[in-house]
Amino acid sequence: MPEIFLPGVPEHPGRPTVSDLRRVIGSLHRPLLLCSAAMAGLVLFGLVAMVFDHRQLLGESVWLKPAKFGLAFFLYSLTLAWLLSLPHPGRRFTWWLGLVFAVTGIVDVGFVVLQAARGTFSHFNTETDTVNEIGQMVFASGVPGLFVANLLIAVIVSIRPGADRPTVWAIRGGLILAVVSMALGYLMGFTGTQLTRTADGRLVELAAGHTVVDADTRQAVAAPDAVAGMPITHWSTLGGDLRIPHFVGLHGIQILLTAVVLLAWAATRYPRLRPPRTRSRLIGATILGWGGLQAITFWQAMRGQPLIYPDTATMLALLTLIVLVTGCVAATLWATRTARSEPMKNGPAQLVVPDRPAPLTETVPRPGRVRPELR
């Protein structure tokens, strides 16, 4: 099988290729890889548990939240495991940061699973039982640990990652979006208290939530998070939901790296996409679009506006973003077309190398014959 180098990996000896899957897996950050495997198992367990356990919290299955956390950590931990396998400065230090992220993530998500099994809340729970008090202390230290570890990894890896130009842009843009996303999660602590019940009907006060509503709605609804939301995601239809920009930013890096892979695949079929500069500019347009989407959804949520009920200002902002991104993509492709069509000063616009060199031939006049023009 021919050596096909992974998109974003420099083509030099010693780097893993698609044809060497064992080396690809072996180069990944082992603790983060184990964390991803554990989270994948949690997702499967949560899906099965939802079928047999019909208890609910805030109008949804007690196992939906652990399953969503498991899926998010599975994707992000796997991405970090690949990211830390790329050549970059301070690899020993980032390995320990990856270990901190993996261990902290397992501990934090483990508490979410424990509270789900107990039929109560993991976040913002003000109950005074021993298990909850210890768990809240874990959260108080674990969440900042995740944020700081991710921030340091983002700074170090973004300095000089060993990858091609489009992948470097995707890595830097994706990590910035992820750091901003984690920072936005802290704003959920300022949405106000809520009074609701556990799965067994016990009354409990939550110190905060994820739904932003106005003062009148807050007085009329004791627990805005408990109002039925959108299908599957359960994002709020009553007010603004801060989980939406958090979700968009956290998974932006997967979107950008997917765009890198798709552009690398398309470049093998469309010559216009082969220059790395062209693909880098298209990744830049993707960063603009995804970052703009995160900003708009955050602005929408902070105004107490549900995602599916945008007002005129939100629609105009989305339309402006679409026009900007479309314009950037069109300008990039047009510039590439113009560059390919303009002739060079000292030769053709493009050097065409044949697949096989043409055979060298030499015409030698036969003896005794003279060409007519020389007579």
Side-chain angles (χ1 to χ4, degrees):
M1 181 176 179
E3 294 289 294
I4 305 174
F5 286 85
L6 293 171
V9 178
E11 299 186 14
H12 62 79
R15 296 298 298 155
T17 64
V18 173
S19 60
D20 195 355
L21 186 59
R22 293 178 63 182
R23 288 186 60 205
V24 173
I25 298 175
S27 68
L28 300 179
H29 189 279
R30 194 64 56 84
L32 284 170
L33 202 59
L34 294 175
C35 177
S36 299
M39 296 302 167
L42 173 60
V43 173
L44 294 176
F45 174 80
L47 293 176
V48 173
M50 279 187 272
V51 176
F52 297 98
D53 189 347
H54 301 289
R55 294 177 299 164
Q56 290 192 341
L57 287 172
L58 297 176
E60 61 186 32
S61 171
V62 296
W63 296 108
L64 180 61
K65 185 173 183 177
K68 290 194 294 186
F69 266 73
L71 180 60
F73 270 87
F74 165 73
L75 293 174
Y76 199 78
S77 298
L78 195 60
T79 304
L80 280 185
W82 169 81
L83 202 59
L84 294 181
S85 71
L86 295 178
H88 62 273
R91 292 191 66 177
R92 181 173 298 181
F93 182 55
T94 57
W95 188 94
W96 286 103
L97 289 175
L99 177 63
V100 170
F101 189 96
V103 172
T104 307
I106 289 176
V107 172
D108 282 3
V109 177
F111 178 67
V112 175
V113 174
L114 175 62
Q115 292 293 79
R118 299 176 66 221
T120 189
F121 301 92
S122 52
H123 289 72
F124 313 121
N125 194 334
T126 61
E127 291 182 297
T128 57
D129 63 279
T130 305
V131 174
N132 182 66
E133 287 185 338
I134 294 176
Q136 297 305 320
M137 292 174 60
V138 170
F139 266 157
S141 58
V143 173
L146 288 172
F147 176 76
V148 172
N150 187 77
L151 176 61
L152 292 176
I153 290 174
V155 172
I156 296 172
V157 174
S158 296
I159 293 175
R160 197 170 64 249
D164 61 1
R165 187 184 300 175
T167 308
V168 169
W169 276 103
I171 289 172
R172 290 173 177 170
L175 288 175
I176 291 173
L177 290 173
V179 169
V180 172
S181 170
M182 292 183 182
L184 293 179
Y186 284 99
L187 295 178
M188 296 182 189
F190 302 95
T191 56
T193 60
Q194 302 186 68
L195 194 62
T196 185
R197 294 185 181 275
T198 61
D200 58 4
R202 190 172 64 257
L203 195 64
V204 60
E205 183 181 60
L206 303 180
H210 50 74
T211 306
V212 179
V213 295
D214 55 33
D216 294 337
T217 305
R218 173 69 60 181
Q219 293 179 357
V221 182
D225 288 356
V227 177
M230 297 170 57
I232 303 176
T233 62
H234 286 250
W235 289 337
S236 179
T237 57
L238 175 68
D241 200 319
L242 289 172
R243 293 177 297 181
I244 300 173
H246 179 73
F247 172 86
V248 171
L250 191 63
H251 298 292
I253 190 168
Q254 285 98 36
I255 297 296
L256 294 173
L257 291 175
T258 300
V260 169
V261 173
L262 292 177
L263 286 174
W265 171 82
T268 62
R269 291 159 174 79
Y270 303 100
R272 191 180 299 182
L273 297 176
R274 289 174 187 170
R277 177 178 296 181
T278 299
R279 300 200 306 276
S280 298
R281 290 176 177 175
L282 292 176
I283 291 298
T286 308
I287 294 172
L288 172 64
W290 203 257
L293 182 63
Q294 182 185 29
I296 291 174
T297 53
F298 171 68
W299 177 54
Q300 185 182 17
M302 291 300 293
R303 290 184 294 135
Q305 185 180 112
L307 177 68
I308 59 176
Y309 300 123
D311 61 6
T312 303
T314 302
M315 293 300 296
L316 287 175
L318 284 171
L319 180 61
T320 302
L321 179 64
I322 293 172
V323 171
L324 284 175
V325 174
T326 304
C328 290
V329 172
T332 298
L333 297 178
W334 178 260
T336 305
R337 176 183 179 183
T338 304
R340 286 173 55 85
S341 61
E342 288 181 354
M344 296 174 61
K345 293 182 179 179
N346 299 319
Q350 184 178 5
L351 178 63
V352 179
V353 181
D355 294 334
R356 292 191 303 172
L360 296 176
T361 60
E362 183 178 1
T363 304
V364 180
R366 294 181 180 181
R369 298 184 60 181
V370 181
R371 284 179 293 179
E373 65 270 15
L374 299 180
R375 290 179 180 178

